[in-house]
Amino acid sequence: MSIDTSGEPLYKRSKRPFNGKAPIRENYGAALCFSLKKEIELISKSQSATNFHLIDPMCGSGTFLVEANNWLRPNQERNFSYFSYPCFKLAPPSLFIKNRSNEISQNKSSLFLTSSGYEANATILQKTKENNLNFEPEINILKHDILSSDNMKDLPNGNKAVIFNPPYGKRIKLSQKPTSYYPSLFKKIKEKINPEFLAVVFPLPEDEKDKNIILSSIKPYKLVKKIAFKNGGIPVFFMIFCRQLS
């Protein structure tokens, strides 16, 4: 015998009606943002991650931005099966009751100072704004193709940390070979944003030569953390790089 207490799978953390072509799961997004925060605070010992602006240059449906912004906020955006249990009908969980302590926790919910994103596809951008960010006024997303020669608008001043989940060439095809696409992408991020930290989810080729071509293109950033997992059944790595000052 088993009792269903959750209903929908727990990785579905909110009522987010729109997803891009190849979104990362919400619980993965939350965990990776927290991992980036911890790495920033480990390396930048004099600063907290709350002094860093989080930027997703290929934000899609905004998973990283929403999860980072709502890290400590009580999850009031979805229902769970146990809400229908007689005991909870009589006494609902305290975190779902509006009170001063919950309002305080919501005001201090973000992992970073600000969260902002950029998206090249105008249709995806509009759907993300209308469906996923309608209750997220703190998150700012703009139209921009990171691979273009155009300058990025409204970049925040101060310490910046980039996190993104680019195409792998599986569900979304790459316009170039991975050994050309990823170096071009990293070059643009370094030129346009120049973040202190760069975190990316992507697959590495098995061929050592191709792998070295991609990783060497990230210099002068140094790899400080690497986590292997499967995103949608595709083996990928979450890699965090820190800028080395000359």
Side-chain angles (χ1 to χ4, degrees):
M1 179 184 291
S2 63
I3 300 176
D4 178 12
T5 59
S6 61
E8 288 286 334
L10 290 176
Y11 71 82
K12 296 183 178 181
R13 294 158 57 84
S14 65
K15 295 177 181 176
R16 201 168 307 167
F18 173 69
N19 286 310
K21 291 183 179 179
I24 195 163
R25 282 186 174 187
E26 296 164 22
N27 57 336
Y28 286 1
L32 298 182
C33 285
F34 184 70
S35 179
L36 174 58
K37 162 194 159 61
K38 297 301 289 184
E39 209 62 34
I40 289 173
E41 294 178 345
L42 181 65
I43 295 172
S44 306
K45 295 181 180 179
S46 61
Q47 297 194 68
S48 165
T50 52
N51 294 324
F52 280 75
H53 300 280
L54 185 71
I55 300 171
D56 185 344
M58 306 177 85
C59 69
S61 54
T63 300
F64 284 131
L65 304 176
V66 172
E67 294 303 326
N69 194 58
N70 294 330
W71 176 255
L72 292 177
R73 187 173 296 173
N75 190 347
Q76 298 171 312
E77 302 302 319
R78 60 160 286 175
N79 291 321
F80 298 89
S81 292
Y82 73 86
F83 287 2
S84 64
Y85 293 2
C87 56
F88 287 107
K89 283 186 175 181
L90 294 173
S94 60
L95 69 84
F96 291 95
I97 301 174
K98 187 173 181 180
N99 57 44
R100 178 169 170 73
S101 63
N102 284 342
E103 289 175 354
I104 291 173
S105 69
Q106 290 189 22
N107 292 334
K108 298 178 180 179
S109 63
S110 182
L111 291 174
F112 297 89
L113 183 59
T114 64
S115 298
S116 56
Y118 297 83
E119 172 55 44
N121 186 298
T123 302
I124 292 176
L125 178 76
Q126 190 61 31
K127 287 184 177 180
T128 297
K129 283 184 174 181
E130 291 175 354
N131 295 286
N132 299 352
L133 302 183
N134 52 344
F135 296 112
E136 304 286 347
E138 307 92 345
I139 299 175
N140 182 41
I141 61 172
L142 297 171
K143 186 179 184 303
H144 180 78
D145 183 353
I146 189 65
L147 289 169
S148 72
S149 57
D150 301 334
N151 292 326
M152 300 179 82
K153 296 180 180 179
D154 295 339
L155 272 175
N157 296 319
N159 298 322
K160 292 181 278 289
V162 162
I163 187 168
F164 67 118
N165 177 39
Y168 307 155
K170 305 290 186 181
R171 299 175 189 167
I172 302 176
K173 299 299 180 183
L174 300 180
S175 56
Q176 310 168 55
K177 291 182 178 180
T179 49
S180 298
Y181 178 81
Y182 291 120
S184 297
L185 183 55
F186 294 137
K187 180 182 179 183
K188 289 294 186 181
I189 289 174
K190 289 186 288 184
E191 290 176 351
K192 294 183 177 184
I193 305 176
N194 191 29
E196 280 73 16
F197 288 86
L198 191 161
V200 57
V201 178
F202 72 134
L204 283 174
E206 294 182 4
D207 183 84
E208 285 297 324
K209 182 180 178 181
D210 290 350
K211 187 186 299 183
N212 289 333
I213 290 173
I214 293 173
L215 293 179
S216 63
S217 70
I218 306 179
K219 292 179 180 178
Y221 288 77
K222 176 184 177 183
L223 178 64
V224 293
K225 190 161 190 175
K226 181 179 177 182
I227 302 172
F229 68 103
K230 287 186 177 181
N231 183 24
I234 302 171
V236 294
F237 294 97
F238 177 61
M239 306 178 79
I240 301 176
F241 299 87
C242 175
R243 189 177 69 205
Q244 292 182 299
L245 300 177
S246 56

